[in-house]
Amino acid sequence: MKRIESKINTSAPEYLANQAHNQQLIAEFRAKQEKVRNERPARDLDRLAAQGKMFVRDRLRQLLDPGTPFLELSSLAANKAYEGEVPGAGCVTGIGIVGGREVVINAGDASVKGGAWYPLTVKKTVRALDIAIENRLPVVHLCDSAGGFLPEQADLFADKYYAGRIFRNQCQLSKLGVPQVAVVLGHCTAGGAYVPALSEYSVIVRGTGAIFLAGPPLVKAATGEDVTVEELGGCDMHTSTSGTADYPASSEEEAIAIARDIVSQFHRNEKGAGEWQTPEDPYYDPSELYGILPRDIKQQFDMLEVIARIVDGSRFHEYQPNFGKSLICGYANIWGHKVGILANNGVLFNDSALKGAHFIELCNQNKTPLVFLQNITGFMVGREYERRGITKDGAKMIMAVACSDVPKFTVMCNGSFGAGNYGMSGRAFDSRLLFSWPNSQISVMGAEQAANTLADVKVRQMARQGKTLTAEEIASIREPVLDEFRLKQSALWSTSEIWDDGIIDPVATRNALGIGIAAAQNSPLADSRFGVFRM
């Protein structure tokens, strides 16, 4: 493959201004992430210590193989919800290495409301198990939860993708022959009791671990029976009488060591037959991405410069370089793995949509994973383009994305607006992983467009009534819309709602994609079949 020839001048004032702006965004992101990961009120940490429990991050360090990467998912989930009082949505999820095996980890954080499940806790857990199913990855559950947060029960219990989906996904994993280990480090109450009960292996800590459908107070209220935690659902009862748990442990350290030993016995899946070559660092410094990304979301930049700082050797085989130039398509390697890349260099026109659909078909034909690098304002609009069939050509690209069977990975590098989000494998299109950069924005349209559209509608409405709005009245319509869109199209809002799998530092993109692509090779690929393309 030919090396991309970068045209970036790293001494230019524009580059340096961009660099300073984006480095500030990264510093703010890292500070938020550090707070979510490690800062807790002293009373909560003291409570854990008094119970003989470790903080969730310390449990992870005990579990993971030393010196191996851990791809944490949705670290800033719920950062805009619950008045900021549920950091990380009250759990930690990610892909890591345990006993030499790739696993998904689902760990309750008992320092946050006793590990209670909020609606976004459930959403984050379901997403982690979806990833396990898609990639056929074993799961290690570190269980320590007070159960569902009752004031929010209406938003976490009854619907299809609420708490019941956690247990449904556990059953699907077992059906697929993908094992799970539950380490019961605290109470597993009510629905949470089914996490260890539905796992192939369960380890429980004596004195702190417990599994029961109802705790002693509820049992007393329901049946009049007086019973202790240990009698009702403790370690010795479950490992010697009920058989609900398999392995007793005298401490958290012992329990996690047992879990590591169990995982090390798991059968190793044969990796898929994706093309691979010896990895090579990018020729260009990935940190230069900070100076390439513009300060203004509306300012265009060359996505080839982004590709050059992510792929092996900065080498890229571009497909149809002279056709549909607003969409870059081509082949490269990331950590040795061959991938097909689609990246936006402007709005999607008819020719670029057709080019994208065709390239996706080619990647499915040769079993090459797809990476979508989003910076998209949408498909082109207007009379001329509708007459050319932009809607049906856009539908071809959407059909190709939706029916693609090779693993897909999406990175929102800048803007992600309108139906362009769909054509570039947005959240609804089942990318194995989808990440946001701190500068990225996503919404049905840009804030200015939305504000102008609503103001124009109101002006026309008043004109039909023979009235005219003043500049102040128009501004009073526009400003609230601008404020709302700016808040809710930000990367922090997106990741709070778990519309992505986490915000990542642009420099870390290559590593995150490398872990995701390697994990995807654990699952078999189906032969691709596409729906009907409207010709």
Side-chain angles (χ1 to χ4, degrees), residues 513-528:
L513 289 173
I515 292 171
I517 296 165
Q521 290 186 332
N522 289 289
S523 61
L525 285 182
D527 290 328
S528 296

Side-chain angles (χ1 to χ4, degrees), residues 101-102 135-137 266-274 517-525:
R101 274 76 171 166
E102 293 162 304
N135 298 289
R136 304 295 196 271
L137 292 177
F266 287 168
H267 173 73
R268 291 181 185 271
N269 290 334
E270 288 189 14
K271 291 282 190 175
I517 296 165
Q521 290 186 332
N522 289 289
S523 61
L525 285 182

Side-chain angles (χ1 to χ4, degrees), residues 76-81 89 120 491-500:
L76 298 186
N79 78 89
K80 296 292 185 182
L120 285 172
L492 284 172
W493 184 275
S494 297
T495 207
S496 178
E497 294 294 310
I498 316 182
W499 296 345
D500 58 24

Side-chain angles (χ1 to χ4, degrees), residues 263-282:
V263 174
S264 70
Q265 311 303 317
F266 287 168
H267 173 73
R268 291 181 185 271
N269 290 334
E270 288 189 14
K271 291 282 190 175
E275 290 191 38
W276 188 86
Q277 63 185 33
T278 303
E280 183 181 358
D281 289 340

